[in-house]
Amino acid sequence: MKKKKALSGLMAVSLLTVIPWSSGHAEKPQWTNVNTYEEQDGSKFNSENYDFVKFSQIGSKLKEIEKLSNRVKVEVRGTSADGNPLYVVTIADPTTQGKFGKVKALRKQMFKNPGKAQEWIANNPDFKVPIMINGSIHGTEFVGSDAILQLIERFATQNDATTKDVLENNILIFNVVQNPDGRIDATRFNGEGIDINRDFITQSQPETKEMVELIKEWNPMVFLDTHGYVKNYQPNLQGLIEPCTPPHNPNYEYDLSGKCAYIQAEAMEAQIMKDHQNNSGSL
């Protein structure tokens, strides 16, 4: 079977607000939520950190990209707790667009009849591996979805060797903003006050159900979850890369998954530090 090359280089990280305590007394620290109301002009997050994309602008941005490229399909796959659209973008080589049904059927066949699935792949060497990328499950972690928007634009419009290689072997499925309510209100939670990252067992929220259905539909070989970043108050500390804690799902065998996850984290860290060195000239 032809070896498939998976998209790599994305990191899943978390956005935390770090508050230094005064050394002189134990009074409650003064705290300012710089992320409040991302739709508001002059948002402190926007001016103090980086120029993020407001959720109200994302739909039109995706449509613009879709018009520029025959590789892109933009869908609204339901709504959030507050009724905001849940955008899903699929990017693939144009010759693959009409074969999505076969790819999805084959991924299901791998569970039911793996031998038959192997035969199909042997007879169809142009089979594409589905890769899913999820954005900003926590609303205040703006950079997750913003990174996805950059990836969408890149793979929709660029023709460099890496882009061609990725699309030759893969179908990219982006769940652009899993938590639009939280992004608009600049909170970790959705409109019902639920941390969606803790809802995958009960699946009580529409955002969670949409993601689960998307996973079931494509059965991706790779799933990347883009979060945010950690703000450090010391120089040369670039952020936080998972795995830092055991998985939230108690059914995971952490002693097994941790080994692979740790290796991946080290690889991502090495790439990040290399990029940082190249961009700044030094650490």
Side-chain angles (χ1 to χ4, degrees):
M1 184 180 73
K2 181 179 178 181
K3 183 178 179 181
K4 299 296 178 179
K5 298 180 180 179
L7 175 65
S8 63
L10 288 179
M11 64 175 179
V13 292
S14 302
L15 173 63
L16 303 174
T17 302
V18 181
I19 307 163
W21 285 82
S22 170
S23 58
H25 50 78
E27 292 182 2
K28 184 177 180 180
Q30 296 298 313
W31 177 72
T32 301
N33 182 4
V34 299
N35 304 319
T36 301
Y37 304 119
E38 62 99 3
E39 290 291 329
Q40 178 181 337
D41 291 335
S43 164
K44 290 183 177 181
F45 187 92
N46 193 26
S47 62
E48 295 183 9
N49 292 271
Y50 79 105
D51 191 16
F52 62 85
V53 180
K54 294 181 179 181
F55 182 78
S56 59
Q57 300 169 337
I58 290 178
S60 58
K61 176 67 174 177
L62 295 176
K63 287 297 183 183
E64 288 175 8
I65 296 174
E66 187 178 32
K67 290 179 181 178
L68 294 173
S69 175
N70 61 354
R71 308 171 189 168
V72 179
K73 179 182 180 182
V74 178
E75 300 176 271
V76 174
R77 298 286 295 260
T79 56
S80 66
D82 280 349
N84 293 299
L86 300 172
Y87 297 108
V88 173
V89 173
T90 308
I91 300 181
D93 183 278
T95 61
T96 309
Q97 298 282 358
K99 302 177 182 179
F100 285 175
K102 290 184 178 180
V103 173
K104 295 174 185 178
L106 177 64
R107 298 296 293 168
K108 292 179 173 62
Q109 186 72 268
M110 289 179 178
F111 289 100
K112 300 177 181 178
N113 193 333
K116 186 175 181 180
Q118 289 291 336
E119 291 178 6
W120 191 92
I121 292 174
N123 295 325
N124 296 271
D126 61 340
F127 169 69
K128 305 296 190 291
V129 175
I131 293 176
M132 190 171 295
I133 307 172
N134 191 47
S136 296
I137 195 169
H138 295 132
T140 46
E141 297 174 4
F142 296 95
V143 293
S145 290
D146 286 4
I148 281 181
L149 289 173
Q150 293 180 25
L151 283 173
I152 289 172
E153 190 164 16
R154 180 259 178 89
F155 285 106
T157 61
Q158 299 302 306
N159 292 295
D160 58 278
T162 300
T163 297
K164 290 180 179 179
D165 183 58
V166 169
L167 295 181
E168 181 182 352
N169 293 287
N170 302 281
I171 298 171
L172 307 180
I173 306 102
F174 298 91
N175 195 37
V176 184
V177 186
Q178 192 182 0
N179 186 1
D181 300 350
R183 188 178 182 94
I184 292 170
D185 294 334
T187 175
R188 182 183 178 90
F189 314 102
N190 74 342
E192 290 293 326
I194 301 296
D195 184 338
I196 306 174
N197 205 32
R198 305 295 188 270
D199 188 48
F200 281 98
I201 294 178
T202 57
Q203 297 179 32
S204 65
Q205 300 303 301
E207 301 92 339
T208 316
K209 294 175 182 177
E210 180 264 343
M211 168 51 69
V212 170
E213 286 303 313
L214 200 60
I215 293 173
K216 288 166 59 180
E217 178 182 335
W218 282 99
N219 185 22
M221 187 173 290
V222 177
F223 182 94
L224 300 171
D225 199 13
T226 59
H227 284 249
Y229 64 86
V230 171
K231 181 177 180 182
N232 290 297
Y233 288 90
Q234 301 178 37
N236 304 329
L237 295 177
Q238 278 65 46
L240 174 68
I241 300 178
E242 298 292 358
C244 299
T245 60
H248 304 309
N249 189 332
N251 296 313
Y252 290 159
E253 295 192 40
Y254 187 51
D255 59 330
L256 299 178
S257 65
K259 295 178 182 179
C260 296
Y262 188 74
I263 293 172
Q264 291 176 332
E266 286 185 320
M268 289 187 286
E269 179 188 44
Q271 184 63 49
I272 292 167
M273 298 306 291
K274 180 181 177 180
D275 292 343
H276 181 74
Q277 286 179 307
N278 293 337
N279 293 331
S280 63
S282 66
L283 292 177

